[in-house]
């Protein structure tokens, strides 16, 4: 669908394989992947030798899909006590949600820090790509996988210089503060809105409840639209930041964006339908240009309201993709966008 709209699509797996053509990248990947204390010394050495013998595409496959005990013949106490189908290297089933492991702010890439232990290796692989792939040789990286928790799904670019960042199940207040301070220092943003969100599975990231669909419009989960709040964060003295009072999110966002009102596209759904379509990521749309958004086809009522509001909805199937609890925005990481038209 993206290619049909003139978008160049890059696959993470292909980029990783190409980055692992560099021997330093392979060495780094092997070391990072075998640090788990549960391996023990003997199994770690055996794994490092095995991984070091693989070709770039074979190594990339193992780093993403994992390695089971019965796929290799290793000796030692650890492997002897493991079941044949236990993983020596865990797979990364959430790797398809590329929005979370990095986020671009202008021409800089933010290497995020994922909160859940099962996902922490994802950002290590993403950083390998940005550090060693020739395409990204000149790109400056900020934050890092070993920093305070900050996930890309919580970061929304509202306007030039204005970012909103959710604080909830995944991204911490400390992560937002550190990210804001870096963005201010590098003049990537002048305002960051810290947005507390509910701590539950259906609203794990800010972009599961709110996404931009036009330069002045958002679609939002109706059950939280008018109780979502924000704290305005701006540069302070030295390394400090200044925090404004708690405000309604839509009001704080409009002020930061310098517009009279941030338009809320009211889906008008009853609470039960709203909750169902929220669970199916009805609000996790991917805007590929102003007034054009990609959405799951099964969220019929949300999509209908978007179209009534003048948004072109490009529907895609997602019966299995959605079972991982993420929509089109979660599954994409925009690297470079054309400038918005002026005038």
């Amino acid at each position: 669908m993206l290619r049909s709209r003139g978008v160049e699509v890059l696959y993470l797996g292909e980029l990783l394989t190409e980055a692992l053509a560099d021997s330093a990248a392979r060495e780094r990947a092997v070391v990072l992947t075998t640090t788990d204390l549960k391996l023990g010394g003997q199994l770690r050495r055996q794994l490092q030798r095995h991984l070091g013998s693989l070709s770039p595409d074979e190594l990339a496959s193992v780093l993403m899909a994992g390695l089971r005990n019965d796929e290799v013949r290793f000796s030692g106490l650890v492997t002897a006590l493991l079941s044949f189908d236990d993983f020596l290297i865990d797979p990364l089933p959430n790797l398809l949600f590329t929005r979370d492991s990095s986020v671009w702010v202008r021409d800089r890439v933010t290497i995020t820090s994922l909160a859940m232990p099962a996902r922490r290796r994802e950002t290590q692989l993403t950083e390998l790509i940005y550090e060693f792939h020739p395409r990204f040789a000149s790109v400056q990286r900020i934050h890092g996988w070993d920093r305070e928790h900050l996930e890309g799904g919580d970061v929304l670019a509202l306007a030039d210089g204005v970012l909103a960042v959710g604080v909830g199940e995944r991204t911490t207040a400390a992560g937002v503060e550190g990210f804001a301070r870096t963005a201010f220092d590098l003049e990537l943003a002048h305002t960051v809105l810290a947005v507390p969100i509910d701590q539950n599975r259906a609203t794990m990231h800010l972009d599961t409840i709110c996404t931009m669909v036009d330069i002045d419009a958002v679609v939002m989960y109706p059950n939280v639209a008018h109780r979502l709040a924000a704290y305005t964060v701006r540069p302070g003295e030295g390394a400090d930041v200044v925090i404004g009072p708690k405000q309604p999110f839509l009001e704080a966002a409009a002020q930061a964006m310098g517009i009279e009102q941030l338009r809320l596209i009211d889906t008008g759904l009853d609470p039960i339908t709203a909750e169902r379509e929220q669970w199916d990521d009805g609000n996790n749309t991917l805007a590929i240009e102003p007034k054009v958004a990609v959405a799951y086809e099964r969220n019929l009522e949300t999509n209908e309201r978007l179209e009534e509001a003048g948004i072109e909805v490009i529907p895609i199937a997602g019966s299995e993709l959605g079972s991982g609890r993420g929509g089109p925005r979660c599954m994409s990481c925009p690297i470079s966008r054309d400038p918005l038209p002026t005038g």
Side-chain angles (χ1 to χ4, degrees):
M1 181 284 303
L2 288 172
R3 287 183 173 131
S4 75
R5 292 289 179 134
V7 177
E8 180 187 6
V9 177
L10 305 176
Y11 284 104
L12 185 146
E14 293 175 1
L15 293 174
L16 179 60
T17 298
E18 292 160 358
L20 291 172
D22 188 308
S23 60
R26 291 198 301 277
E27 183 177 347
R28 174 89 59 84
V30 170
V31 170
L32 289 173
T33 305
T34 57
T35 56
D36 195 330
L37 293 177
K38 73 179 183 182
L39 297 175
Q42 184 168 331
L43 176 55
R44 180 175 296 107
R45 289 189 295 272
Q46 291 173 329
L47 270 174
Q48 288 175 344
R49 285 194 296 269
H50 174 71
L51 297 177
S53 70
L54 300 178
S55 65
D57 60 325
E58 292 170 333
L59 179 57
S61 178
V62 170
L63 295 178
M64 293 186 292
L67 185 70
R68 286 194 349 174
N69 195 20
D70 59 353
E71 294 182 278
V72 289
R73 293 183 177 275
F74 292 157
S75 61
L77 180 61
V78 176
T79 52
L81 296 182
L82 288 173
S83 171
F84 74 94
D85 57 354
D86 281 336
F87 280 96
L88 306 180
I89 298 173
D90 289 330
L92 300 175
N94 294 301
L95 200 59
L96 79 160
F97 300 125
T98 52
R99 176 73 59 165
D100 294 331
S101 56
S102 68
V103 58
W104 287 71
V105 184
R106 294 185 181 172
D107 61 347
R108 313 293 174 90
V109 62
T110 305
I111 306 298
T112 60
S113 173
L114 303 185
M116 298 300 167
R119 299 197 66 185
R120 287 177 187 165
R121 279 183 43 238
E122 293 178 38
T123 47
Q124 295 176 359
L125 298 186
T126 305
E127 186 165 48
L128 279 173
I129 291 170
Y130 289 128
E131 182 173 355
F132 291 102
H133 197 287
R135 183 177 185 126
F136 306 110
S138 61
V139 174
Q140 182 177 345
R141 304 184 305 279
I142 59 178
H143 209 70
W145 61 266
D146 55 348
R147 295 281 304 276
E148 301 91 348
H149 293 320
L150 172 76
E151 304 205 353
D154 278 317
V155 181
L156 298 182
L158 300 180
D160 189 27
V162 182
L163 302 171
V165 188
V167 183
E169 186 185 38
R170 307 299 177 88
T171 296
T172 63
V176 178
E177 183 181 274
F179 176 58
R181 185 66 264 174
T182 301
F184 297 152
D185 289 345
L186 295 176
E187 299 183 346
L188 300 175
H190 56 74
T191 305
V192 172
L193 302 180
V195 186
I197 58 177
D198 292 341
Q199 312 280 304
N200 64 61
R201 186 77 171 119
T203 59
M204 72 183 83
H205 290 129
L206 181 58
D207 72 357
T208 62
I209 58 177
C210 174
T211 49
M212 295 287 291
V213 290
D214 198 359
I215 57 174
D216 64 347
V218 293
V219 60
M220 195 180 298
Y221 178 33
N223 293 359
V224 304
H226 297 291
R227 59 183 176 88
L228 199 65
Y231 295 85
T232 300
V233 183
R234 290 194 170 94
E237 294 291 332
D240 292 341
V241 294
V242 176
I243 312 301
K246 184 178 180 180
Q247 293 177 273
F249 169 74
L250 294 172
E251 180 182 311
Q255 290 175 4
M257 297 166 70
I259 60 177
E260 185 175 335
Q261 183 179 20
L262 179 59
R263 187 162 51 104
L264 170 63
I265 296 179
D266 186 354
T267 56
L269 303 181
D270 67 83
I272 300 302
T273 303
E275 188 170 346
R276 182 180 67 246
E277 296 208 358
Q278 166 63 18
W279 182 248
D280 286 338
D281 295 290
N283 299 288
N284 188 253
T285 61
L286 171 65
I288 58 175
E289 61 182 273
K291 297 183 175 69
V292 180
V294 185
Y296 280 148
E297 62 185 7
R298 65 187 176 194
N299 292 310
L300 299 174
E301 298 199 39
T302 298
N303 294 348
E304 183 179 340
R305 303 305 194 284
L306 284 169
E307 290 175 337
E308 290 172 353
I311 306 301
E312 179 188 352
V313 176
I314 305 172
I316 61 168
S319 59
E320 291 304 311
L321 293 172
S323 65
R325 304 267 58 86
R329 190 180 192 275
C330 289
M331 295 185 294
S332 58
C333 174
I335 290 175
S336 177
R337 287 183 180 267
D338 292 332
L340 288 171
T342 57

